Each structure stands twice: as C-alpha cells, then as structure tokens.
Amino acid sequence: MTFLSRRNLLLASIAAAALAQPALAQDKTIGIAVPNLASSFWISAVYGMESEAKTGGAKVLKLNAGGDANASQQIAQVQDLIQRKVAAIVIGATNGDAVKPIVERAIEAGIPVVGISSPPNTPKLASLVSADHADMGKLQAECLAKAVGGKGTIAMMAGPAGQAWSDLRAKGFREALAKAAPDVKIVAESRLADNRNAALGTAEDWTQRFPDLAGIYAATDDMAAGVVSAFKSASKPVKVSASNFSPTAQQMLKDGDIACTSIQQVVAQGKAAMAQALKAAAKQPVEARVVLPALLVTRENVATVDLSSVVAPADYRP
C-alpha cells in the first residue's frame, strides 16, 4: 500500500470517529498528562488532542511533568486530575511502572484513562493508542544497515528505559539489524533521557571511546540532533538514523546529516487518543487498541510527505 493510500485510510477512520463523537457538555473536561512539552513529539500529540477535543465539544486541562525522569511530578498531577473529577484522562507516562498505582486509582474513581505512546503498565486502560514502535525500529535498522554498507560497528542512543516506545523501538532495531546485517556489531547502548543535551554529552564520549563508529541509531530526532552536533564537532563522519520527523529532523534530512527517519503520525495519534477519551467519557464503546502504521522518510522522498497528520503547525504553542 502506498504512503498516500495508507494515510487517506487513516484520515478517513479518524474523520469517521470524529463524526461519531458525542458532543460533551461544556463543563466536561478531559485531562491531558504528558512527560515533557519541550519535546517535539508531545507538542504534536497535544496539538492533535486539542484539535479533536474542540471537534467533540470538550475542554482540556494540560499538565506537563517537565521531563521523562519526573514520575513523582506526574503522579501528583494525576492526583490533581482525580480531585478535579475530570471526565477522562489521556496520559503518556513518564514511567509506566511508577504511575501505574495512581492511574488505577483514577480508574477506580470512575475516570476512564486512555494511554498514548508510552502507556501506564496496567491492563485497566480504556484504550491504548500508539504507533507500531517495533516496526519503527525495524525500518531504522534496514536503513542504517544499508547506509553503513552492511559492516562495521554502531552504537544505540536508545532513549529512556521504562518507556514502552523506546523499549519496543530498540528491540525492533536489534532484531531487524541481526537479520539485515549480521556483520554489523553494536558496541554501545545508552538509555538516557530523550533530549538533545543528554545525547550530546554521551555522543561526545563516544567520539573518543569508539573512533571507528560507522553508524548510530537514535530513538528520536531530538537525540539525533545531539549526536550529529557531537560528531560534526569532532570531524568524524557517521551515519545516523532517527525517528519522529520533527522540524529539526526535516532540516537534518535535507542537509544530509541523517540517513533517514522512521516516523509515526503523531498528530493523528493525539486525535485518536482524544477520540477514544471522548467516547469513554460519554460511556460509549471504545477501541481497546489503536495502532497507527510506521513510515520511513529519506532524503529522496521527503519532499512528497504530507505532514498534516505527523507534526503540529510551526506556529502552534501548547
């Protein structure tokens, strides 16, 4: 199936879901709890949520934990949403295990919870919306294997541990790389926070410890930006694959700084998650699992990709 036909099918399903939405009373509020609104991913996801909430006639209350490591902050924020008696909660977890108890407390209080991308580790969610993260890792492995010529050493900037999306992408990458390029060896793996500065510091260390690296897997575009900066400063050429297709990645791709980026349709995820939350709040049937397909973007096809379901408009501020 072509990119356009897959995208049109996805948008049609989202549109149908939107038409089926019951308009909530204006005093109904959907709580949104995300790890970090400085992240390009969560900016685009929240844009999708807000757009869908407006269509469904609901208000939103956005809470930002301020970073992947701030599980205690997010726990307190979900507690606040419980006390406010919101109609439903959409949450991307800072740490799936850490937030599980407070999320289950919300559910016990009669508040349906929808997980998006990095869900709380509980089977009690009303719905879970995500990209096919394992497939995103697989696409990166195939791309990077080709970029390095099927041989040499690589390292993995695998993202934060304890988040389902980073774990699944890393697993998909390793498994696909072993099949696509058995002569490529992984010599280092970092499980740091998803931000450019953390990636920069680790990548600077790698330029010294592993001077012959042929390639680097970056779990997100923000991390890839740190990698590219470090290796450029060290004047060491390296092939880099990334994920998420933020504006930064679009520029890096056009400049030839990264080989490819596997993308999830982040805005569409936000819309789908809010659509399920609105249904759950209105006590209508929901889909237990919504998985959106992964896509690979390269320098050759970047000009033809429609970004409306992928990233928020440049002027959007959450």
Side-chain angles (χ1 to χ4, degrees):
M1 186 180 290
T2 66
F3 171 80
L4 289 177
S5 61
R6 293 173 78 186
R7 180 180 176 275
N8 289 341
L9 180 62
L10 172 64
L11 293 180
S13 65
I14 292 173
L19 290 174
Q21 293 293 354
L24 295 182
Q26 288 301 309
D27 61 345
K28 294 291 186 179
T29 299
I30 307 297
I32 297 173
V34 299
N36 189 2
L37 276 178
S39 161
S40 57
F41 173 87
W42 289 113
I43 291 171
S44 292
V46 170
Y47 170 76
M49 293 181 214
E50 287 194 300
S51 299
E52 189 68 17
K54 184 176 181 180
T55 300
K59 298 177 182 178
V60 298
L61 177 60
K62 297 171 289 185
L63 297 176
N64 172 24
D68 294 315
N70 296 342
S72 59
Q73 173 75 357
Q74 189 169 60
I75 290 168
Q77 290 173 339
V78 175
Q79 177 63 49
D80 181 59
L81 292 174
I82 295 171
Q83 293 175 345
R84 289 172 179 263
K85 298 181 179 179
V86 295
I89 296 172
V90 179
I91 182 170
T94 50
N95 182 291
D97 291 324
V99 303
K100 174 184 176 180
I102 191 64
V103 166
E104 291 188 342
R105 192 181 309 168
I107 296 167
E108 290 167 3
I111 301 173
V113 178
V114 173
I116 177 172
S117 186
S118 54
N121 290 339
T122 172
K124 298 180 180 180
L125 297 174
S127 179
L128 171 58
V129 177
S130 71
D132 188 338
H133 292 292
D135 192 44
M136 292 177 74
K138 173 180 177 290
L139 291 175
Q140 280 201 61
E142 293 169 350
C143 164
L144 197 58
K146 181 179 179 181
V148 301
K151 60 184 179 180
T153 58
I154 67 168
M156 294 179 64
M157 197 71 69
Q163 292 205 6
W165 64 267
S166 58
D167 294 342
L168 287 170
R169 286 185 205 177
K171 182 174 184 291
F173 178 84
R174 288 190 210 94
E175 292 178 351
L177 185 70
K179 293 178 181 179
D183 292 331
V184 173
K185 181 181 179 182
I186 299 171
V187 295
E189 180 174 347
S190 166
R191 298 308 302 262
L192 298 176
D194 174 20
N195 67 68
R196 179 171 182 161
N197 289 336
L200 175 63
T202 298
E204 286 174 340
D205 176 58
W206 286 352
T207 65
Q208 300 298 316
R209 292 174 56 204
F210 309 107
D212 298 323
L213 277 179
I216 295 179
Y217 158 92
T220 70
D221 297 337
D222 291 338
M223 302 182 83
V227 169
V228 168
S229 179
F231 277 79
K232 274 190 170 182
S233 295
S235 298
K236 293 182 180 293
V238 68
K239 302 296 184 181
V240 180
S241 69
S243 284
N244 290 352
F245 206 44
S246 66
T248 298
Q250 294 169 46
Q251 190 60 51
M252 289 193 296
L253 200 61
K254 291 175 182 177
D255 292 342
D257 290 332
I258 60 175
C260 59
T261 180
S262 64
I263 69 172
Q264 50 183 317
Q265 301 182 65
V266 184
V267 172
Q269 280 188 65
K271 289 185 176 182
M274 182 56 68
Q276 297 306 312
L278 292 172
K279 286 182 177 180
K283 303 189 184 307
Q284 290 194 347
V286 300
E287 296 178 62
R289 187 74 189 269
V290 179
V291 180
L292 282 73
L295 303 164
L296 188 71
V297 180
T298 66
R299 195 173 185 182
E300 289 71 33
N301 71 2
V302 64
T304 64
V305 176
D306 183 345
L307 301 180
S308 62
S309 67
V310 177
V311 296
D315 61 352
Y316 170 73
R317 298 294 180 272

